[in-house]
Amino acid sequence: MGLLLAAPYAIFVAAVFVYPLGLGVWMSFHDFYFTAPGVDVAKPFVGLDNYATVLSDPDVRASFVHVAEFLVINVPLTVILSLLLATALNSAIHWRGFLRVSYYVPYIAASVAMVTVWMFMFNSGGIVNQILGPLAPDPAWLVNKAWAMPSIALYVTWKQLGFFILLFLAALQNVPKELNEAASMDGATRWQSFRAVTIPAVRPATTLVVLLAIITGANLFTEPYLLTGGGGPNGASTTPVFLLYQQGIQQGNPDIASAIGVLLVVGVLLVTYVSRKITERD
Amino acid sequence: MTTTQKQSPAILKNDAGSTSGKRRSRTRQLLPMALLLVGAVGFLFPFYYMIVGALQEKRDPTLAGALPWPSNMTLSNFTDINESIDLGRSLLNSGIFTGAVVLCTLFFGVLAGYALATLSFRGRGLLFAVVLLLQAVPFQLLMVPLYVLLVRGFGLGDSYLGMILPFAINSVAVLIFRQFFLQVPREMFDAARIDGAGEFRILRSIAVPLVKPAILTAALVTFIGPWNEFLWPFLITKEQSLQPLAVAVANFTQTGAAFHDNPFGAILAGSTVLAVPAVVLFIVFQRHFTATDASTGVKG
């Protein structure tokens, strides 16, 4: 009976999740072409050829470097800011509702919409450069080779932060108030009790936030596509998923694209494994 | 709000101390508040700036331009973008896409959540593991195989069905329903079973009415996904008349805007039409959104 009720869901999972996943891995080991529906052509097994093509492509290697650059900026910034803001929000007495809503607004609003405002704010004559005056980078942020990826990292941090603040907030509400009270009785400063009580108490949430931030970051597409006009300037902000789209769908090489995808998953698994070792240490 | 009340004894204790203690507790409150308010401005400003920019007749990127000057206000940006992309049609497409995804998610979610929470059957553990695993695997990885299958295999390019199918299941919704059904006392279902009701009858007359709040939460949490989704509908819709608003605005940003008098105004007008409905819905139903969304995330 239970099986019957769960069956529609299970069938769907198999059709739009398990099967495509398997097909993706299969394609990465074969020579695969797009064909019209129903036409059957040979798709010979080519072993690791697709992987060799991908790994020897300097564009692909550059895109992985860009994502690493993104993660180095985005993940620490996300963890620190969301934990600080969640702690402050947890102890705030006034305007909690208003504050919670304002932090969540960027997360709710469509990325497509928010990207356009950022372009408006960060282009050469935009309000950010007007404020910075002579300190503004030239060329402007999103068309500057050195600043394109950091700008994207900053944008994504801002966009996602509300969600991560909520995760920390939920974790903080399970921290016994007595712990902080005891620390404050013993004369601990706010900073000391934050380090000795809050950080250890929310460690599981920190692990989760790091994990989710890495997964989101590794799958950047909309931002390099729209914010920097297709991985620009001069390919300085391409990402693996952007190349996956270019190769797989624009240029009709789904086998190459699948190999990039598999490499990306393996990379993400490795990075999350290492990050778990770090966040769960001591 | 309950946490605020719980907190007050601690603050009273601090206040009851010497005057220096009082001053310290005052700064203990002020510093985080200042941080929070500065943060809130930073978070809200781009959203506000989008609306101001959408209403500006002439683009004004200066600092003063961040204020809505009545002399520079117009609605013409909205009519302007409406000439390039049919806003009504795009909104309708977004509505169909989002509505169908939410309905499918609720239907599959209630069934699977009920089965996982109250019935024991073979493969239950496996199914629950798959639900959790689904959350961890990002959609982008499935993008090319799904494209091969749906567009090349079944010819579902430029169709609502092709847009909807990959989003029709959502593990967050299953987890929300499972959590709610677990909280319903088992005896209620057992009593109905003893009275001879079948599982479908129990589901319809007992379970679903009991989890109405969960249905609202799941609908709201699911809503923002397809409404804001760009990548998948962008891949499979080449025909403009089928594109959801997010795709239409993005394409307009990339190519169409250059020919307009105030391109940024028109782009921001499109962005406003896209972003404001989701934000308004969120503010109205704020309470339902936050609590459950976050706790499902943490407790898995």
Side-chain angles (χ1 to χ4, degrees):
Chain A
M1 191 63 219
L3 206 54
L4 187 70
L5 290 178
Y9 178 82
I11 291 169
F12 240 91
V13 169
V16 301
F17 173 73
V18 179
Y19 181 66
L21 197 65
L23 180 68
V25 176
W26 187 87
M27 277 198 295
S28 73
F29 290 106
H30 291 76
D31 218 348
F32 195 97
Y33 311 94
F34 283 141
T35 53
V39 180
D40 216 10
V41 293
K43 288 151 187 161
F45 178 77
V46 292
L48 292 170
D49 277 11
N50 291 326
Y51 290 92
T53 314
V54 165
L55 285 173
S56 61
D57 185 341
D59 290 348
V60 175
R61 285 201 298 233
S63 75
F64 277 92
V65 173
H66 296 154
V67 162
E69 195 186 329
F70 172 91
L71 292 177
V72 166
I73 300 169
N74 170 266
V75 175
L77 205 60
T78 300
V79 172
I80 293 167
L81 285 180
S82 56
L83 182 54
L84 276 179
L85 286 169
T87 311
L89 201 56
N90 196 39
S91 66
I93 293 170
H94 305 291
W95 305 323
R96 278 167 70 99
F98 164 76
L99 289 166
R100 217 169 40 184
V101 169
S102 32
Y103 288 125
Y104 216 52
V105 160
Y107 182 72
I108 297 291
S111 201
V112 169
M114 293 295 108
V115 155
T116 62
V117 195
W118 275 62
M119 283 162 63
F120 187 38
M121 285 166 58
F122 279 83
N123 65 16
S124 57
I127 192 163
V128 174
N129 277 1
Q130 301 252 355
I131 293 170
L132 288 176
L135 290 172
D138 179 42
W141 305 92
L142 300 169
V143 290
N144 186 316
K145 267 184 105 100
W147 280 106
M149 215 57 210
S151 305
I152 292 178
L154 189 69
Y155 167 81
V156 174
T157 309
W158 170 82
K159 180 86 171 64
Q160 305 280 347
L161 209 61
F163 176 70
F164 293 127
I165 289 174
L166 277 189
L167 288 186
F168 272 128
L169 208 52
L172 284 171
Q173 285 173 352
N174 294 328
V175 178
K177 287 280 177 291
E178 293 76 24
L179 283 179
N180 274 314
E181 281 166 29
S184 137
M185 287 292 218
D186 290 346
T189 62
R190 179 172 275 278
W191 175 244
Q192 281 170 330
S193 64
F194 178 72
R195 285 195 51 180
V197 177
T198 310
I199 292 181
V202 298
R203 182 153 287 152
T206 311
T207 308
L208 184 72
V209 168
V210 170
L211 195 80
L212 291 176
I214 291 173
I215 293 178
T216 332
N219 290 287
L220 274 187
F221 173 80
T222 312
E223 293 76 17
Y225 181 76
L226 292 174
L227 203 55
T228 53
N234 219 346
S237 62
T238 53
T239 61
V241 176
F242 180 74
L243 290 183
L244 207 136
Y245 156 75
Q246 261 190 341
Q247 285 283 344
I249 286 147
Q250 281 190 318
Q251 296 169 15
N253 300 318
D255 41 4
I256 302 283
S258 298
I260 299 178
V262 172
L263 286 176
L264 185 63
V265 180
V266 173
V268 170
L269 286 177
L270 281 176
V271 174
T272 48
Y273 179 76
V274 173
S275 80
R276 276 192 75 152
K277 286 276 166 236
I278 294 171
T279 50
E280 282 173 358
R281 196 183 45 191
D282 68 52
Chain B
M1 284 302 114
T2 44
T3 36
T4 324
Q5 283 156 4
K6 268 187 217 150
Q7 243 182 4
S8 38
I11 292 150
L12 285 177
K13 234 175 268 168
N14 262 348
D15 280 359
S18 62
T19 37
S20 76
K22 199 179 211 171
R23 196 176 303 137
R24 216 184 72 188
S25 89
R26 189 56 81 66
T27 50
R28 274 177 93 102
Q29 281 302 323
L30 277 178
L31 184 74
M33 204 58 208
L35 180 75
L36 284 170
L37 286 177
V38 170
V41 171
F43 274 75
L44 285 179
F45 179 76
F47 190 77
Y48 156 83
Y49 200 47
M50 170 184 77
I51 297 172
V52 170
L55 294 171
Q56 272 173 0
E57 194 170 354
K58 273 205 185 74
R59 186 187 159 212
D60 183 358
T62 61
L63 268 182
L67 295 172
W69 300 104
S71 58
N72 194 20
M73 299 264 270
T74 173
L75 285 174
S76 68
N77 290 323
F78 290 91
T79 50
D80 210 23
I81 188 175
N82 197 34
E83 280 163 21
S84 292
I85 57 174
D86 189 340
L87 286 179
R89 177 78 212 184
S90 307
L91 275 171
L92 181 71
N93 292 337
S94 283
I96 292 172
F97 175 43
T98 308
V101 167
V102 170
L103 279 181
C104 289
T105 304
L106 293 179
F107 177 73
F108 293 126
V110 166
L111 288 183
Y114 177 75
L116 281 173
T118 67
L119 302 166
S120 49
F121 55 94
R122 281 180 73 172
R124 184 167 87 155
L126 177 73
L127 186 68
F128 190 57
V130 168
V131 173
L132 292 180
L133 193 70
L134 258 176
Q135 266 196 315
V137 175
F139 175 75
Q140 279 85 338
L141 292 174
L142 304 174
M143 172 175 107
V144 171
L146 276 173
Y147 183 84
V148 170
L149 275 177
L150 293 178
V151 178
R152 303 283 167 157
F154 296 110
L156 289 177
D158 279 321
S159 75
Y160 289 121
L161 195 60
M163 241 186 279
I164 295 159
L165 280 178
F167 289 86
I169 50 165
N170 183 330
S171 53
V172 176
V174 177
L175 293 175
I176 290 175
F177 286 121
R178 178 181 167 271
Q179 203 61 40
F180 261 81
F181 283 125
L182 281 177
Q183 285 162 8
V184 175
R186 275 245 140 150
E187 293 75 29
M188 295 191 78
F189 299 125
D190 289 340
R193 271 176 212 134
I194 291 167
D195 289 346
E199 292 302 331
F200 283 108
R201 178 74 201 275
I202 295 175
L203 198 59
R204 206 183 59 226
S205 328
I206 299 174
V208 171
L210 276 174
V211 294
K212 266 192 185 139
I215 293 179
L216 181 63
T217 303
L220 288 166
V221 171
T222 327
F223 165 83
I224 52 166
W227 184 266
N228 294 341
E229 176 63 25
F230 166 66
L231 180 55
W232 179 249
F234 162 73
L235 288 185
I236 79 156
T237 53
K238 295 287 161 261
E239 226 175 282
Q240 214 195 28
S241 63
L242 277 167
Q243 284 168 350
L245 189 58
V247 179
V249 169
N251 284 343
F252 180 74
T253 310
Q254 290 297 82
T255 52
F259 308 104
H260 290 262
D261 300 337
N262 181 359
F264 257 113
I267 290 173
L268 292 175
S271 300
T272 304
V273 178
L274 174 64
V276 167
V279 171
V280 167
L281 203 74
F282 164 65
I283 291 171
V284 172
F285 291 104
Q286 208 238 107
R287 230 156 261 286
H288 297 274
F289 247 104
T290 46
T292 325
D293 191 16
S295 58
T296 2
V298 171
K299 284 163 196 148

